[in-house]
Each structure stands twice: as C-alpha cells, then as structure tokens.
Amino acid sequence: MTKRTRRIVIVGGGTAGWLSAAVIAAEHGVDVAPEAGLPRFSVTLVESPDVPTIGVGEGTWPSMRSTLQKIGISESDFIAQCNVSLKQGTLFRNWYRNGENYVHPFTVPHGYNLMNLAPYWQVHHADRRFADVVSPQASVVEQYLAPKQSSTPDYAFVLNYGYHLDAGRFADLLKSHCVKNLGVQHTSANVTSVEADNGGDIAAIVTDSAGRIEGDLFIDCSGSRSLLLAEHYGVPFVSASDVLFNDSALAMQVPYREPESPINSCTLSTAQAAGWIWDIGLSSRRGAGYVYSSAHQSEDEAATLLYRYLEAEPELAAATDLQYRKLSFKPGHRAEFWHRNCVAVGMASGFIEPLEASALALVELSAKMIAEQLPHDRAAMEISARRFNKKMLKRWDRIIEFLKLHYVLSERQEDYWQDNRAVSSLPESLAEALEFWRYQSPWHNNFEPDDLFPSASYQYILYGMHFETMPRLTRPRNHAELDVRAEQLIRENAERVQKIESALPTNRELLGKAVNFGFSGSQVPQPIRNTR
C-alpha cells in the first residue's frame, strides 16, 4: 500500500499560508479521531520569526465571503479586527482618456440571466455609461454607499461585494483562528534545509529551532523566494513581462484628513503616464500606491506623480512628509505549481500586478482546490498534481489576458500606453476574442461555466472603454418583443437605483454599526468538517 496523505506541512505564514491552513483544516477536520494504529491527520504551519508578514494584497473578490463563512469566522469579527471596508468593484479614472471614468461593479447587469442588454444599450443608450444603465451599483459606489444594511445578516447582501482589508491584521486573525479553533499546529522556526527521500519527494524540512519536521504533502507559501518549489526543485519561472509591463510599485499608507471622512466602497484606479495608482479606503486610512513600468518611467518621476495625486485628494491628510515603500517584482508564474509532493500557493507560485485584486483570489482558489482534491495517498497525488497544474495554468492565462484587456482599449498617447496597444504584446487568444466581440457581445453563450471572470466583467470593461460591437446584420423575428423587454429591464434598473440609494447607509455608517453591534442575526459560523 502507498503512504496515506495525513501530514500537511505549510512553509510560510502571511495571508497565503494561514488562509491555506484554514481552508484545509476546516475541510478535513484535524481533530477527527484517527483510525486504529495510524497517525492523526495534521496541518502544521512553519513560520519564520525573522520575516515580517507581507500580505499578497488588500483587496478581495466576493468569493472571500464564502471562504470566511466556511472556515468559521464571523463577518462582524473580521470587520472589527482587520480594519475592513466593503468593496463593490473598481472605479477606473482616466484609463480611456483623461477626464473619463467608468465602473466595473461586482453586481451583474439587471436581468442578466434573461437577456443580454449590451447590444440594446449600444444602439439606444450609448450616450450614457454602460454600468449606469444596466446596474445600480455604479451609482452606489460613487456616493460612498454600502452594499447592505445593518439588518442584513453576516455575508448576505443587497449588492454583491468583497473586501478591502489590512493584510497584516488579516494574517493575524487567521493565525489565531487556525490555532485556537481549527487545530492547526504553529511552529516558529527558520527552515535551514530540505531533505528528500530516495524517490525525490520532500521527506522533511529541517529547522533551526524545531528540528526536523516530516510531512506527506508540503505547501510552499514562502513568498517570492519560493523556497521549496523554486529553490529546492528548480521549477522554472514563466515571465509575463512581454504582455504586462509593470514591474515596480511605490506604496504608502495615508491617514484621512478628518476621522469621519467618507470611505470609498470601491477601489480607485487612476491611470498615469506609465502605469496606474491604486487607492483603497479602509476604516482608519487609505492605502495608495503607484504601479508602473520601470522601462517607461524612473522612480523619481513615479514618486512625483504619486505625491501629486495624494495632494489632490481632498479627503486625505497631507502626504508630503510620508515615505513610500519601493517594491520590485517580475510579472509571471512558475511553469508548474504542484511538483511531486510540493504545491506552491501565493507569491511562491507567481505574481502579477494588483489590478483587479487577483492575488488573494488565487490563494483562495488554490487552497480550495487542494482541500477538495487532497489526494488519498501518494499514488493519487500524481493525478491531483496534473489536475491542479492544468486548472491553475489556465487561470493564470485568463488573469493575464483579462488584465491586458484594460490596457489595449485606451486612447492615451504616452509611450507606455502605445506600447501596451502594440499587437505584438497581445496574447493570441485575447486578439482573437477582441475580433469575435466586434461581432458578438460577451455573454453566457460564448463563455465556459468555469471561466475565472464572468462575461459580465468583460462587458463592463469593454463598454466602459467605448468598445463597439457591430449590430447584427439581421434582427430576430421577435425583435420588437425583445426591444420592449430590454427597455423594461433598463427602466426597472433605474427604479431600483432610487430605492436602493434611499435605503442604504454610507460605507462608514455601516462599518461603525458592524464593529459596535454586529449585523442583525449574526452568529459565529461553524466550519464544515469532513472525516478522512
């Protein structure tokens, strides 16, 4: 019989390590009594005391709600402990050209399962922003309104949302929850070497203060160093710099000018000469940074633009004396993510610029897939690895293509933006899709059910950036009926906007109530545990 997969060892903490530990422990229950004579199923996380926690991002997708609910963390506690605000999408400023904004909301267009409104909007309402016509969320985010009421239970919503959060505090919350409630073993030690067995698998890691730690499956969450997958196994890096040019970022934390300044309920993304500035509103501060291409702009030039942006924001305190942190990165990912009995999660597997907040989403997706397909034994691990690598490679390709879409439709004339529009920098699949979308709008019928980004997201980006899909050469027989139905949905959306705006509190009002009183009907969810 081959060796059962019973001992999971995670190397590295931070958000990637602790979220992976939580998802796996909640799924499999490390406190389940073992079979007679066999060791207990365990999850051990080894974290260096000398490496400060660095979060992989401060923005999440709406999927984080179900992840937190499944691992057993109450939303009210999460909001209170992690300086959380509620994120309803992204407001893109100056991406198409200076002075023009559009919103990519998390809520799909009204009646999206019944009808594709994009063609009708383009013929009859193109003088108004697409998101304003088909969704109530664009208007809501621009008024600093929340996506729910205080009477809405934990994780439920009026409008779909994710989170902005303090990544360091989030890692601390996950650590506490994993150790106290999920049975994860925490070891504070530095890894000094890796031991392989005769077949080439990792048999154990050796640490400076906790000795030798054996495992059956090792999860590499050691950040960009990629201690196990890259340093030990030598899995090569696949660069995406020929498609996505950004490789540098200047990051800052800026306090509000007034304690009760409004909190943005979306990420602000403002295009610049050689990149874009992110601006994330938390309860106590804003996190801002300029991500740019070092081939197109110097650090001094980038810093000047970042400070100029911050000084122009009326709700922020003076940033003149604040220091930024310089980050450099190589956009891309490992050639494979699961090699033998080692799988990489988070920055150990790769990193691409923070546009559309894909970093934490990839951690969620990776941890969930590992937990759900955790191999029974070493023989089954080969199958799990092949499935994982195939799925994750597809996801990385889709993220790269989706992020590139934001750049290729711009009319900005700086060298950086012209280079981004060059045909040679487009993935072949994206070039093909753009040509297809000139004749047929993205919708359910031309997307796969498991595509990483829904067709609605492509609609918001394309039509927010003035992309044109040609009208059909022939109209369906029931076109008059469809026109009436489309106009009815658009009218219903306008009526819904008025009702929602009058009922929703501001983001700051809701967060204050959540911290002080919790949400109505809130209770601590119990993690779902499966026996092994």
Side-chain angles (χ1 to χ4, degrees):
M1 294 180 63
T2 61
K3 186 170 62 172
R4 293 282 298 274
T5 306
R6 292 186 172 274
R7 299 168 298 176
I8 311 299
V9 178
I10 300 173
V11 177
T15 309
W18 286 111
L19 191 58
S20 298
V23 170
I24 294 170
E27 176 77 16
H28 295 280
V30 298
D31 58 347
V32 174
E35 300 168 34
L38 294 176
R40 181 183 300 275
F41 176 81
S42 65
V43 177
T44 301
L45 188 145
V46 182
E47 184 176 34
S48 171
D50 302 324
V51 178
T53 298
I54 300 177
V56 295
E58 291 192 321
T60 82
W61 291 2
S63 56
M64 184 61 76
R65 298 204 319 273
S66 60
T67 297
L68 293 174
Q69 190 171 27
K70 185 166 185 177
I71 66 178
I73 292 178
S74 85
E75 188 173 35
S76 302
D77 288 345
F78 168 59
I79 289 173
Q81 295 184 44
C82 299
N83 196 14
V84 168
S85 64
L86 307 185
K87 171 185 174 180
Q88 300 182 64
T90 302
L91 172 61
F92 290 93
R93 305 193 291 196
N94 304 332
W95 278 71
Y96 182 65
R97 55 181 169 231
N98 284 330
E100 286 202 25
N101 305 332
Y102 75 94
V103 177
H104 172 198
F106 284 150
T107 297
V108 300
H110 181 54
Y112 197 63
N113 290 330
L114 303 174
M115 187 176 189
N116 180 9
L117 289 174
Y120 186 84
W121 162 81
Q122 194 150 276
V123 172
H124 298 285
H125 294 278
D127 58 326
R128 297 171 56 203
R129 295 188 311 179
F130 175 70
D132 290 334
V133 173
V134 303
S135 169
Q137 203 156 32
S139 176
V140 165
V141 301
E142 291 183 318
Q143 297 184 59
Y144 303 94
L145 297 178
K148 62 193 293 182
Q149 300 164 311
S150 59
S151 59
T152 312
D154 272 12
Y155 301 114
F157 62 92
V158 175
L159 296 170
N160 199 18
Y161 68 93
Y163 304 103
H164 290 140
L165 54 85
D166 183 312
R169 291 189 183 185
F170 187 37
D172 290 340
L173 173 64
L174 290 170
K175 178 193 297 188
S176 175
H177 182 67
C178 283
V179 174
K180 293 179 180 178
N181 303 317
L182 297 178
V184 175
Q185 300 173 39
H186 177 217
T187 299
S188 179
N190 291 297
V191 176
T192 57
S193 63
V194 180
E195 291 186 3
D197 62 20
N198 293 332
D201 282 357
I202 297 176
I205 56 171
V206 181
T207 69
D208 57 357
S209 58
R212 190 171 176 272
I213 300 174
E214 296 182 346
D216 304 312
L217 176 65
F218 290 81
I219 301 178
D220 188 349
C221 297
S222 61
S224 57
R225 180 182 176 186
S226 194
L227 177 63
L228 304 183
L229 194 70
E231 290 193 8
H232 176 69
Y233 277 124
V235 173
F237 183 79
V238 179
S239 175
S241 60
D242 58 332
V243 178
L244 297 171
F245 305 148
N246 293 338
D247 60 1
S248 303
L250 310 180
M252 299 177 68
Q253 295 180 1
V254 187
Y256 289 104
R257 188 179 299 275
E258 302 293 339
E260 295 303 312
S261 292
I263 301 172
N264 282 311
S265 55
C266 64
T267 298
L268 301 181
S269 175
T270 305
Q272 301 292 325
W276 56 277
I277 289 175
W278 77 81
D279 189 343
I280 290 174
L282 301 180
S283 298
S284 63
R285 63 168 172 84
R286 298 247 288 261
Y290 181 19
V291 58
Y292 65 98
S293 164
S294 63
H296 293 83
Q297 195 164 68
S298 70
E299 180 180 339
D300 288 343
E301 292 170 330
T304 297
L305 289 177
L306 177 57
Y307 282 112
R308 185 181 301 164
Y309 169 89
L310 295 172
E311 289 300 323
E313 286 292 305
E315 293 148 8
L316 294 179
T320 308
D321 297 328
L322 298 177
Q323 297 297 312
Y324 62 78
R325 181 169 55 131
K326 170 71 182 297
L327 304 171
S328 298
F329 57 90
K330 296 179 180 179
H333 57 80
R334 295 292 157 189
E336 59 180 349
F337 313 103
W338 193 325
H339 183 76
R340 303 193 69 88
N341 68 331
C342 171
V343 56
V345 176
M347 293 183 69
S349 65
F351 182 76
I352 295 176
E353 62 168 279
L355 186 65
E356 295 288 5
S358 60
L360 277 176
L362 279 170
V363 172
E364 285 185 86
L365 291 165
S366 298
K368 184 178 182 225
M369 192 169 181
I370 294 169
E372 291 177 347
Q373 300 191 20
L374 194 68
H376 177 271
D377 52 32
R378 183 61 183 85
M381 196 173 293
E382 297 298 325
I383 300 173
S384 295
R386 283 195 297 272
R387 288 174 175 265
F388 186 90
N389 287 329
K390 181 179 180 180
K391 175 70 77 172
M392 295 309 296
L393 282 170
K394 179 181 178 181
R395 285 170 170 167
W396 276 93
D397 287 343
R398 289 294 177 270
I399 288 173
I400 292 170
E401 291 172 8
F402 186 62
L403 299 195
K404 184 66 173 181
L405 178 65
H406 294 64
Y407 294 97
V408 300
L409 303 174
S410 175
E411 287 194 350
R412 295 183 66 103
Q413 294 304 306
E414 295 95 339
D415 289 346
Y416 168 86
W417 294 92
Q418 293 192 50
D419 290 347
N420 261 299
R421 290 195 294 271
V423 175
S424 59
S425 73
L426 267 66
E428 183 178 345
S429 56
L430 177 59
E432 180 183 272
L434 285 167
E435 184 63 23
F436 178 77
W437 293 329
R438 294 195 183 281
Y439 303 95
Q440 186 167 331
S441 172
W443 200 46
H444 308 307
N445 57 353
N446 49 59
F447 272 69
E448 298 296 328
D450 65 341
D451 274 332
L452 190 58
F453 297 96
S455 56
S457 290
Y458 286 86
Q459 287 194 0
Y460 286 129
I461 303 304
L462 287 170
Y463 302 123
M465 298 276 280
H466 299 274
F467 185 83
E468 293 188 6
T469 299
M470 295 183 183
R472 291 178 57 169
L473 293 176
T474 60
R475 304 196 71 185
R477 288 184 177 180
N478 62 336
H479 68 84
E481 178 184 335
L482 292 176
D483 285 354
V484 170
R485 179 58 179 153
E487 194 59 40
Q488 180 183 347
L489 289 172
I490 290 173
R491 187 168 55 251
E492 288 175 359
N493 182 68
E495 294 170 354
R496 192 171 176 227
V497 169
Q498 293 181 342
K499 291 179 181 179
I500 287 177
E501 289 180 351
S502 64
L504 291 175
T506 67
N507 214 9
R508 184 171 289 283
E509 288 171 347
L510 179 71
L511 294 171
K513 290 181 179 179
V515 170
N516 293 321
F517 308 109
F519 293 117
S520 177
S522 296
Q523 57 183 353
V524 178
Q526 296 300 312
I528 300 171
R529 295 183 174 181
N530 298 328
T531 57
R532 285 178 53 81

